[in-house]
């Protein structure tokens, strides 16, 4: 069965420090991969997505993610965190056939806190 | 564009009452998704529609839950009767379906509390 694992429930980093949020997936073929961010009281906003091609993808707000097939990972990175990045981050996989508008499977999320 | 609109934003009700959550997708989008978010189970898909037709409702927890999409600009999620374990944040999302996957745009959610 398809699944997404975000091993870190909560991460705290200092403002200006680099950030890496981990995401591992289980799927039999190359999936479509996504990172979403959820600010308090808000819905989810897409940060970036990977479908194919270059394994390093750039997103909004200075985020990037790298797809590593050998590790079944899609980790999210940012070189310098800002206080406004404090939020919850969700990794997701799907849908499972091209052209399908099927569901996304989400990880449980990683809550990011930023220290001044 | 106003984005995906959900109402109400907060709902507090008593066990046994009927609850109706509403969603207006982004104009031009033809796929609509209902998700539920809880601390224990995270974000789960309940049901999704394509061109107003329910495609997959396997995530609907039980018969107390029902969803409709009478037209392209409106959907409802109804819980009858409601139970305390239904307390969660319910999100609606929409996307435009084409040959490739397209981004799902999420609404702000409805926080439901069942006492």
């Amino acid at each position: 069965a398809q699944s997404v694992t975000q091993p870190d429930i909560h991460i705290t980093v200092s403002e200006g420090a680099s950030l890496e949020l981990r995401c591992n997936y289980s799927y039999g073929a190359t999936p479509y991969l996504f990172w979403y961010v959820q600010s308090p009281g808000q819905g989810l906003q897409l940060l970036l997505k990977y479908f194919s091609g270059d394994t390093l993808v750039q997103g909004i707000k200075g985020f990037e993610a790298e797809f590593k097939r050998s590790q079944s990972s899609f980790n999210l990175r940012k070189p310098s965190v800002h206080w406004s990045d404090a939020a919850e981050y969700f990794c997701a996989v799907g849908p499972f056939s091209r052209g399908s508008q099927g569901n996304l499977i989400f990880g449980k999320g990683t809550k990011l806190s930023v220290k001044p | 564009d106003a984005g995906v609109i959900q109402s109400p934003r907060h709902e507090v009700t008593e066990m046994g009452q009927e609850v109706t959550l509403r969603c207006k997708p982004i104009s031009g989008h033809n796929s609509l998704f209902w998700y539920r978010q809880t601390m224990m189970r995270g974000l789960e898909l309940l049901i999704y529609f394509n061109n107003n037709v329910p495609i997959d409702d396997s995530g609907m927890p039980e018969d107390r839950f029902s969803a409709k999409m009478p037209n392209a600009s409106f959907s409802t999620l109804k819980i009858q009767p409601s139970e305390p374990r239904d307390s969660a944040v319910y999100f609606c999302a929409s996307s435009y379906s084409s040959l490739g996957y397209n981004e799902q745009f999420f609404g702000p959610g409805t926080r439901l509390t069942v006492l």
Side-chain angles (χ1 to χ4, degrees):
Chain A
Q2 300 88 1
S3 66
V4 177
T5 302
Q6 293 180 247
D8 303 307
I9 296 173
H10 190 186
I11 284 182
T12 300
V13 300
S14 297
E15 190 168 17
S18 63
L19 171 70
E20 182 169 28
L21 302 182
R22 295 182 291 166
C23 172
N24 293 96
Y25 65 89
S26 173
Y27 181 60
T30 301
Y32 297 165
L33 295 159
F34 308 83
W35 276 99
Y36 281 83
V37 60
Q38 183 181 27
S39 298
Q42 302 296 314
L44 278 69
Q45 180 186 20
L46 183 69
L47 281 176
L48 47 78
K49 60 193 176 195
Y50 171 79
F51 289 170
S52 64
D54 193 345
T55 56
L56 184 64
V57 293
Q58 303 296 320
I60 62 171
K61 305 185 180 186
F63 285 91
E64 65 177 27
E66 186 172 12
F67 169 59
K68 292 186 177 180
R69 185 191 304 275
S70 61
Q71 298 177 17
S72 297
S73 70
F74 189 56
N75 293 349
L76 181 71
R77 300 194 294 248
K78 186 169 184 178
S80 177
V81 170
H82 188 262
W83 63 266
S84 60
D85 294 324
E88 190 155 18
Y89 292 80
F90 293 89
C91 182
V93 61
F96 303 103
S97 59
R98 189 165 182 78
S100 166
Q101 288 303 300
N103 57 297
L104 297 180
I105 293 179
F106 286 85
K108 291 293 181 65
T110 298
K111 185 174 181 179
L112 173 65
S113 297
V114 180
K115 292 190 299 185
Chain B
D1 198 319
V4 176
I5 299 173
Q6 291 188 248
S7 65
R9 292 293 308 276
H10 301 272
E11 177 80 29
V12 180
T13 189
E14 293 186 346
M15 182 173 64
Q17 296 298 306
E18 177 180 298
V19 175
T20 299
L21 311 181
R22 296 172 176 79
C23 175
K24 177 179 170 54
I26 292 172
S27 177
H29 283 188
N30 58 0
S31 292
L32 184 139
F33 307 80
W34 282 102
Y35 291 89
R36 178 172 68 175
Q37 185 178 40
T38 61
M39 288 292 293
M40 291 297 297
R41 299 174 67 88
L43 199 61
E44 305 170 283
L45 179 75
L46 299 177
I47 185 171
Y48 80 93
F49 296 83
N50 192 31
N51 294 322
N52 311 337
V53 176
I55 303 301
D56 183 356
D57 65 354
S58 59
M60 295 285 263
E62 49 198 272
D63 292 345
R64 297 185 297 107
F65 285 68
S66 63
K68 294 182 179 179
M69 192 165 186
N71 57 61
S73 59
F74 184 66
S75 176
T76 60
L77 178 67
K78 185 175 294 186
I79 308 172
Q80 166 64 17
S82 58
E83 296 182 3
R85 59 191 168 125
D86 302 329
S87 297
V89 181
Y90 291 81
F91 287 103
C92 176
S94 71
S95 71
Y96 174 69
S97 172
S98 68
L99 288 178
Y101 176 79
N102 288 289
E103 174 184 353
Q104 291 185 18
F105 292 81
F106 282 75
T110 295
R111 181 174 295 277
L112 173 65
T113 302
V114 183
L115 303 174

